[in-house]
Amino acid sequence: MSNLLASYFTNSGNDITNIGNTTDIAGRSFFDIISDCKDFNEKATENATSSNLENLEIWPYPQIVEYLNSPFKFAITEPLIDPIKNLVNKHFGAVEANKRVLPNADSVLSDANGLQILIKCGCFRSVINLTYKILSILSNDQLYTSFSLQIWFIRISILLKMKFFKEADIELKQFENFERPNFFHQTKNSNQLVTFVPFGLRVLNAELAHYMGNSNESLSNLYKLLSIVKKILHDLSEDDQTARRVWNERRNKILFSISNILISRKNYSKAIEIMNLIAESDYSDKNAIWSSIGKLYSTFGDTVTASNSFKKAKTFSNKALPSNNCRNLLNLSFLKMIAHQYKEAYEYLQEADQLAPYNPTVRFFK
């Protein structure tokens, strides 16, 4: 289920930061950023031992000893309707509206397979409906489990994608930052207390204040997560390469989130500093990150550094990937636009369009 989410919301080649959309500075999708490495990137852990997997669930045990015992609260309980079908019905009648047949929360199974179908078809309102349907019938002993938290992760992700920020805030507050014993369990091998909260859900919880207009609170939350992740990395054995790789990816996810917020506040120098940390790490898509650094330099007229960053991006590009070639052409186009050479910029855009016609950046300039 999680792999499907990660692959469905991938927009390869988009580098432009837009807080209103769901892509980050390196062109990765919102769901790539927030995804739990263990759950979303299963190839990284498929050969791991059970002890390795325990190291992916490490988290500081909370000081608050009281358990949460109230039933789940939902900001949206009434079924969300298909707005397009409703519009067709209003203007063209029920006959035409009934021709629009899509899966919904009532036509699929109330399980992970049903969610897969709805997500794959882009029926996001129905995903919200189905997650409510699944979560609202859980018994008391099923409320705080790995399964329920994965469903919550999907629900909150879709709420944010649909810009239901207030509703997401209401629903997340009931978990009190996941700092309760409910969210931990004892491992079978080492009797260690670890968490089953998806890491991506923690990042979502930290980011939400930004979408509610309080960027400072989000930055504070994200830096708190970052300090915990750094400590976990410090304590991990050098021999546990699987866990170290996953926690390094999580560290980079937090840094991306911090960078996006800094860019939205026009704090470009600090954002570039953060992105350089990612570029110097083992982050895999260095073509994307150096392209993003170059674009930031170009926004405040430093064409020399922007050009050097784009050159670095090209050295890390994979010629077999159209997305990388498209990104390199877009970089050249940006440099030409800065130099007011619009004819040449347009020619590069045309070449990029041939490689990736559905690239959001290319389409923006059409």
Side-chain angles (χ1 to χ4, degrees):
M1 174 169 60
S2 297
N3 278 340
L4 181 87
L5 267 176
S7 62
Y8 187 82
F9 293 104
T10 299
N11 297 317
S12 299
N14 177 25
D15 303 311
I16 298 296
T17 303
N18 187 335
I19 297 301
N21 291 329
T22 57
T23 51
D24 78 334
I25 51 179
R28 302 171 315 140
S29 75
F30 174 74
F31 288 92
D32 289 330
I33 305 162
I34 64 166
S35 62
D36 182 344
C37 296
K38 178 176 74 67
D39 299 312
F40 274 58
N41 301 318
E42 293 173 344
K43 289 182 180 179
T45 61
E46 60 186 4
N47 295 321
T49 63
S50 57
S51 59
N52 291 143
L53 292 175
E54 289 176 7
N55 287 337
L56 306 184
E57 298 176 340
I58 297 171
W59 202 256
Y61 193 76
Q63 296 181 345
I64 303 174
V65 296
E66 292 84 5
Y67 282 76
L68 295 174
N69 52 24
S70 57
F72 289 146
K73 299 174 184 176
F74 300 91
I76 298 176
T77 57
E78 295 297 321
L80 298 176
I81 62 171
D82 179 352
I84 297 176
K85 187 172 184 177
N86 193 46
L87 195 63
V88 172
N89 182 60
K90 179 180 178 181
H91 293 283
F92 300 100
V95 175
E96 288 299 318
N98 289 333
K99 292 179 181 178
R100 178 175 167 83
V101 180
L102 290 172
N104 56 58
D106 296 322
S107 66
V108 299
L109 294 174
S110 297
D111 58 12
N113 292 326
L115 286 170
Q116 281 186 333
I117 293 169
L118 295 177
I119 292 168
K120 189 173 182 179
C121 294
C123 302
F124 303 126
R125 290 172 183 267
S126 292
V127 173
I128 295 173
N129 296 340
L130 184 55
T131 54
Y132 171 72
K133 191 175 179 181
I134 294 171
L135 292 167
S136 61
I137 62 172
L138 295 178
S139 60
N140 288 337
D141 60 336
Q142 296 175 317
L143 293 182
Y144 301 100
T145 63
S146 177
F147 171 76
S148 68
L149 268 293
Q150 284 288 337
I151 302 300
W152 272 111
F153 184 23
I154 293 171
R155 180 177 174 85
I156 299 298
S157 300
I158 300 296
L159 285 174
L160 292 187
K161 179 175 177 61
M162 301 296 290
K163 294 184 171 54
F164 289 126
F165 301 133
K166 183 179 178 181
E167 290 78 5
D169 183 55
I170 292 170
E171 296 190 355
L172 272 175
K173 277 183 177 176
Q174 67 184 303
F175 299 117
E176 300 189 15
N177 294 319
F178 307 103
E179 294 178 353
R180 290 298 185 101
N182 303 65
F183 304 108
F184 290 78
H185 68 98
Q186 201 168 44
T187 62
K188 293 179 180 179
N189 294 328
S190 61
N191 292 325
Q192 181 182 8
L193 284 168
V194 296
T195 185
F196 52 75
V197 179
F199 183 75
L201 187 53
R202 292 188 185 276
V203 178
L204 270 185
N205 186 55
E207 287 182 331
L208 184 56
H210 170 62
Y211 298 107
M212 300 290 290
N214 193 342
S215 299
N216 286 335
E217 183 181 338
S218 269
L219 287 173
S220 177
N221 294 338
L222 288 166
Y223 274 111
K224 181 180 177 181
L225 289 184
L226 184 62
S227 66
I228 293 173
V229 171
K230 284 182 176 178
K231 185 178 186 307
I232 290 171
L233 276 167
H234 179 268
D235 294 341
L236 278 175
S237 167
E238 291 292 336
D239 296 329
D240 194 348
Q241 291 301 309
T242 298
R244 294 193 67 84
R245 181 169 62 253
V246 170
W247 282 106
N248 272 312
E249 289 175 5
R250 291 172 175 175
R251 167 185 170 272
N252 285 339
K253 291 176 193 298
I254 297 172
L255 292 175
F256 272 121
S257 296
I258 292 172
S259 298
N260 274 328
I261 293 175
L262 291 172
I263 291 168
S264 74
R265 299 176 62 173
K266 295 182 170 51
N267 189 346
Y268 299 127
S269 58
K270 184 64 177 178
I272 289 174
E273 180 183 324
I274 297 292
M275 285 193 287
N276 275 315
L277 289 176
I278 301 171
E280 292 164 5
S281 73
D282 58 356
Y283 178 64
S284 58
D285 197 350
K286 293 186 184 294
N287 175 260
I289 189 65
W290 280 110
S291 294
S292 301
I293 292 171
K295 288 185 179 66
L296 270 185
Y297 277 116
S298 66
T299 58
F300 46 84
D302 189 345
T303 55
V304 174
T305 311
S307 178
N308 290 335
S309 298
F310 290 149
K311 287 176 182 176
K312 284 185 180 180
K314 191 172 183 179
T315 63
F316 289 108
S317 64
N318 184 344
K319 293 182 179 179
L321 294 176
S323 60
N324 279 196
N325 295 327
C326 175
R327 188 181 289 125
N328 293 333
L329 289 168
L330 289 172
N331 293 345
L332 292 171
S333 180
F334 276 111
L335 287 177
K336 294 300 180 182
M337 280 189 269
I338 296 170
H340 305 290
Q341 298 173 357
Y342 299 114
K343 183 177 181 296
E344 292 85 348
Y346 180 69
E347 289 172 353
Y348 282 126
L349 281 172
Q350 283 184 311
E351 287 186 58
D353 185 33
Q354 292 176 357
L355 285 174
Y358 295 104
N359 179 285
T361 306
V362 175
R363 296 180 71 179
F364 176 80
F365 286 105
K366 279 188 177 179

